[in-house]
């Protein structure tokens, strides 16, 4: 059974990092309700959810995706670009240790898991924001033994590469062409977000099922037009913290 590592909502969630968005009030209780329903949705898709306790010290701790890149062969523990987020990796590394050999990004490298898009053996990393050239180069060296290629991708207007593009099927990507160059994805079927929903490119693919934020109504219609029927979750509160559905879990296949 595949596992999903998640972590609770910090009581200090309202003090989260923000890069492109304006701070608006976060409803902590609603965030907790949404996060519990997200875990239920993952369980409903057959995942074993390992829920780590929230940290009272780490406002962004719910966004576990940024702390590690889990691959079939290993997991790379990151060094997040925002200094406030670096202590988040410790609990995630402890949770991953029974499942994967751990490798580490070291200073002065920085890497956020949200910047790392894995497309088979091709890995694209959003560069210039949270993930720096040294971190991306280290990722390439760490993964070379398994023949992954790692390439830096310029980003504009968004926090992470997976704010701009995610995989939604065997040969299909969902992307915002204003934030990432669609020409990088030759050979892929690309679905563009509705232009009124710029932050709608983040969908969580697990097996052949998609988890998707309910509020992206118009882009969801585009997915449905492409014969995809996502499992919908409320993700309005994490969106206020510049988070989305992939950010809130690390999924590992277990043999
Ligand atoms: N609030 C999510 C982040 O900035 O990392």
């Amino acid at each position: 059974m595949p596992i999903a590592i998640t972590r609770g909502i910090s009581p200090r969630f309202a003090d989260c990092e923000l890069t492109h968005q304006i701070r608006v009030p976060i409803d902590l209780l609603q965030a907790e309700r949404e996060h519990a329903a997200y875990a239920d949705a993952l369980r409903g898709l057959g995942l074993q959810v390992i829920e780590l306790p929230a940290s009272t010290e780490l406002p962004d701790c719910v966004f576990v995706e940024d702390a590690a890149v889990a691959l079939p062969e290993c997991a790379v523990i990151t060094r997040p670009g925002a200094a406030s987020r670096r202590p988040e990796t410790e609990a995630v590394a402890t949770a991953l240790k029974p499942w994967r050999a751990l490798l580490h990004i070291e200073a002065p490298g920085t890497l956020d898991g949200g910047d790392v898009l894995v497309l088979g053996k091709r890995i694209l990393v959003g560069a210039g924001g949270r993930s720096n050239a040294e971190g991306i180069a280290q990722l390439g060296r760490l993964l070379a033994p398994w023949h992954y290629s790692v390439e830096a991708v310029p980003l504009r207007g968004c926090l992470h590469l997976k704010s701009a593009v995610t995989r939604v099927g065997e040969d299909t990507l969902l992307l915002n062409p204003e934030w990432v160059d669609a020409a990088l994805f030759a050979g892929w079927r690309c679905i563009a977000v509705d232009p009124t929903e710029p932050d709608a490119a983040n969908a969580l693919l697990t097996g052949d099922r998609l988890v998707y934020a309910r509020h992206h109504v118009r882009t969801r219609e585009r997915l449905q037009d492409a014969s995809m029927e996502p499992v919908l979750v409320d993700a309005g509160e994490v969106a206020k913290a510049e988070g989305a559905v992939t950010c809130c879990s690390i999924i590992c296949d277990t043999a």
Side-chain angles (χ1 to χ4, degrees), residues 16-196:
C16 64
E17 296 282 342
L18 287 176
T19 304
H20 293 276
Q21 291 184 195
I22 294 168
R23 197 171 295 278
V24 295
I26 290 179
D27 180 336
L28 207 52
L29 281 179
Q30 178 61 12
E32 286 169 350
R33 276 193 291 269
E34 290 180 1
H35 195 53
Y38 171 85
D40 286 343
L42 296 180
R43 285 187 200 93
L45 294 174
L47 291 139
Q48 177 193 348
V49 179
I50 298 173
E51 296 185 277
L52 308 182
S55 163
T56 53
E57 307 297 322
L58 302 171
D60 281 297
C61 68
V62 67
F63 298 131
V64 286
E65 173 183 58
D66 293 315
V69 179
L71 296 166
E73 302 89 349
C74 65
V76 178
I77 305 303
T78 66
R79 183 169 179 270
S84 72
R85 300 201 53 195
R86 289 188 190 141
E88 293 173 27
T89 58
E90 190 180 334
V92 170
T94 301
L96 277 168
K97 203 166 177 193
W99 307 96
R100 290 291 187 275
L102 301 185
L103 305 170
H104 295 266
I105 300 295
E106 307 286 356
T110 64
L111 190 81
D112 277 18
D115 274 325
V116 180
L117 178 67
V118 179
L119 301 176
K121 290 284 181 181
R122 182 185 183 209
I123 297 183
L124 297 92
V125 187
R130 297 281 178 81
S131 302
N132 67 14
E134 171 62 22
I136 297 168
Q138 285 185 31
L139 185 69
R141 288 195 292 274
L142 290 172
L143 299 181
W146 296 284
H147 309 291
Y148 286 96
S149 70
V150 173
E151 61 198 271
V153 170
L155 278 183
R156 45 185 181 262
C158 61
L159 175 58
H160 287 133
L161 180 59
K162 278 187 273 192
S163 319
V165 55
T166 54
R167 188 174 187 169
V168 293
E170 183 67 26
D171 61 353
T172 308
L173 303 173
L174 177 63
L175 61 78
N176 178 344
E178 298 294 319
W179 287 353
V180 68
D181 185 358
L184 288 163
F185 305 108
W188 289 83
R189 177 169 70 140
C190 292
I191 300 171
V193 298
D194 186 280
T196 63

